[in-house]
Amino acid sequence: MREPALDLVIAALEKIREKSDHTPRASRTALARLQAADLARISVATISDLVDHESTSGSQLQAARNKTELLAAVDERVRACSKCAHLACSRTQTVFGVGNPNADLMFIGEAPGADEDQQGEPFVGRAGQLLTRILKAMNFGREDVYIANILKCRPDMPAGSFGNRPPTPTEMQTCRPYLLEQIQIIQPSVLVALGAVAVEGLLGTRRTMRELRGRWHTYNSIPLMITYHPAYLLRNQAPSEKRKVWEDMLQVMERLERPISERQRNYFL
Ligand code: SF4
């Protein structure tokens, strides 16, 4: 009884194709319902209902849903993590990552600071606000990209002292597997590492930013751009330094085939 039912499906799909200018696609749910159903009794009209005009954005939505669930499972393990006992004791909360699980572009910083530790979100302090402004200049919102750190816990500080400290190589090595999982799930087209410490955490090498930034590297076959951490730009506000970061971001936009206006090309010149 299977063949007549398939004839009905094909007829319905051809009808849809004639009436619209894009190829009809079936959602996974629709396919599961078709497989489960007694196909011989399904009418053309019913199949038309089942085999919907799922567009590329529909598939993307499903992919994003799957990725959200996978990321949530990793986040759960991170929340319970105490591999660095000293950080598990001192943290207010873990800071997993934020943004679009289906993002083409992923930013990687070094570790949460005091603001991030309080709010549970990466890059929300002054440096984070600058990163948001850089994204806006690139015509991205924070919700379009994914932002995470090598370390998911704030590096602890001696009692009574203020500020933040960079993570140690051992701390980064211990936490890096969580970031790898995030990258594997998100599968961005481009990675951007912010600052030398993030690069050390990611690649395990310590080199100067002068040697590293402004050119393409690869990480697990993903193109990797290395640029200054926004905190560096807060310390050094010279237009020439802002321009360096912006040139790196122009390369990222080109790699992602994003439109670049003349005005964007000329920022900080
Ligand atoms: S820094 Fe990473 S590995 Fe260390 S306790 Fe926090 S989540 Fe676990």
Side-chain angles (χ1 to χ4, degrees), residues 7-225:
D7 286 344
L8 289 176
V9 172
I10 290 162
L13 290 173
E14 280 173 349
K15 239 182 188 176
I16 292 166
R17 192 166 51 188
E18 277 165 22
K19 284 185 191 164
S20 75
D21 48 8
H22 64 264
T23 307
R25 292 164 187 251
S27 68
R28 283 188 189 184
T29 315
L31 287 173
R33 287 172 69 192
L34 274 168
Q35 277 167 352
D38 177 354
L39 292 176
R41 281 193 277 135
I42 295 176
S43 70
V44 172
T46 312
I47 292 168
S48 295
D49 289 339
L50 285 170
V51 182
D52 55 21
H53 293 246
E54 191 194 42
S55 61
T56 307
S57 64
S59 320
Q60 283 171 341
L61 189 65
Q62 183 63 39
R65 268 195 208 123
N66 293 343
K67 289 181 180 186
T68 303
E69 284 163 18
L70 291 169
L71 286 172
V74 183
D75 187 11
E76 206 169 309
R77 281 190 278 122
V78 166
R79 283 170 198 266
C81 181
S82 57
K83 284 188 211 167
C84 319
H86 59 300
L87 302 186
C89 289
S90 62
R91 71 189 178 210
T92 305
Q93 57 193 312
T94 53
V95 180
F96 183 66
V98 70
N100 180 358
N102 220 23
D104 280 337
L105 178 56
M106 179 169 176
F107 287 83
I108 299 167
E110 56 188 60
D115 295 318
E116 289 76 17
D117 175 68
Q118 284 300 317
Q119 296 185 41
E121 186 174 323
F123 284 91
V124 290
R126 282 184 66 223
Q129 287 159 22
L130 178 53
L131 176 62
T132 306
R133 290 205 296 278
I134 293 169
L135 286 173
K136 199 171 168 203
M138 297 169 77
N139 286 337
F140 281 116
R142 276 173 76 95
E143 67 285 357
D144 298 321
V145 302
Y146 197 88
I147 306 170
N149 284 311
I150 307 276
L151 223 66
K152 309 305 184 200
C153 298
R154 183 191 179 206
D156 57 345
M157 296 292 289
S161 59
F162 296 98
N164 301 309
R165 72 161 171 88
T168 66
T170 304
E171 288 166 345
M172 290 195 286
Q173 205 181 333
T174 310
C175 204
R176 186 171 49 205
Y178 294 127
L179 178 71
L180 297 193
E181 286 192 72
Q182 287 174 297
I183 294 170
Q184 275 162 6
I185 293 167
I186 295 163
Q187 294 177 12
S189 305
V190 170
L191 288 167
V192 176
L194 299 165
V197 179
V199 174
E200 187 184 353
L202 202 58
L203 305 180
T205 56
R206 188 158 188 97
R207 286 161 66 188
T208 65
M209 287 302 288
R210 194 175 294 186
E211 293 172 290
L212 294 167
R213 66 146 288 274
R215 61 190 175 85
W216 287 103
H217 306 254
T218 52
Y219 182 73
N220 285 357
S221 308
I222 303 171
L224 166 70
M225 176 56 67

